[in-house]
Amino acid sequence: MPTLEPVSEQEFKLALRRLAAAVNIVSTLEDERPAGLIATAVCSVSAGPPTVLVCVNRSARTHRILMESGVFCVNVLAADQMPFAREFLALDPLQRFGACRWSTLATGSPALDEAMINFDCELVETFASGTHDIIIGRVVALRRREVDNPLLYFEGDYHHLHRGEHP
């Protein structure tokens, strides 16, 4: 078998910019205080039982909090929440949760009231891979808002679908 040249980290990151992804806020609690981060590496794992996965960098402050709490909520953002997504990233982590209304579902993790979908999860398994952990959560509750235009991240910026336009 031929020796394959490794793909550079920079080349890989440039390629990933072309992979459109939903924008999500993964939220959890530390001593009754909310904590969270924006993640695009989120997807379904199984419908039976309902599970999702989230990839979180182990160097992120929220990673430790999520691992200790054992619960989290994946809040899928809608296109009309683009200003909030920008503000969430810019604010100090202790101020991020004052900009919108939050409530709780089954786990007690913060659930963004205006999210397209809230997947409220209990952590069931983790796998280490490179700089990140793949965190598997069993969905114990969910809530949907009747909106059909997700916020997407593509080429280093936020975008949305243009409904009705098909190739």
Side-chain angles (χ1 to χ4, degrees), residues 44-134:
S44 66
V45 175
S46 172
T51 50
V52 296
L53 71 77
V54 178
C55 297
V56 178
N57 192 314
R58 284 189 296 278
S59 69
R61 175 183 170 273
T62 301
H63 175 274
R64 176 192 56 79
I65 298 168
L66 193 154
M67 298 303 283
E68 289 174 2
S69 74
V71 295
F72 61 95
C73 187
V74 175
N75 302 278
V76 183
L77 300 186
D80 63 358
Q81 293 173 306
M82 185 185 308
F84 172 65
R86 291 186 194 283
E87 183 177 355
F88 191 88
L89 277 176
L91 287 173
D92 177 271
L94 298 175
Q95 298 174 329
R96 290 178 172 169
F97 288 82
C100 283
R101 289 187 323 271
W102 299 82
S103 55
T104 59
L105 301 177
T107 70
S109 295
L112 180 61
D113 288 346
E114 294 300 315
M116 275 185 61
I117 307 165
N118 307 105
F119 293 103
D120 195 28
C121 304
E122 63 180 359
L123 191 153
V124 293
E125 202 167 1
T126 62
F127 302 92
S129 183
T131 58
H132 287 60
D133 277 344
I134 302 163

Side-chain angles (χ1 to χ4, degrees), residues 9 20 47 52-53 70 85 90-91 111 127 153 156 158 163 165:
E9 188 175 321
V52 296
L53 71 77
L91 287 173
F127 302 92
Y153 193 72
Y158 296 116
R163 306 299 285 174
E165 297 178 19

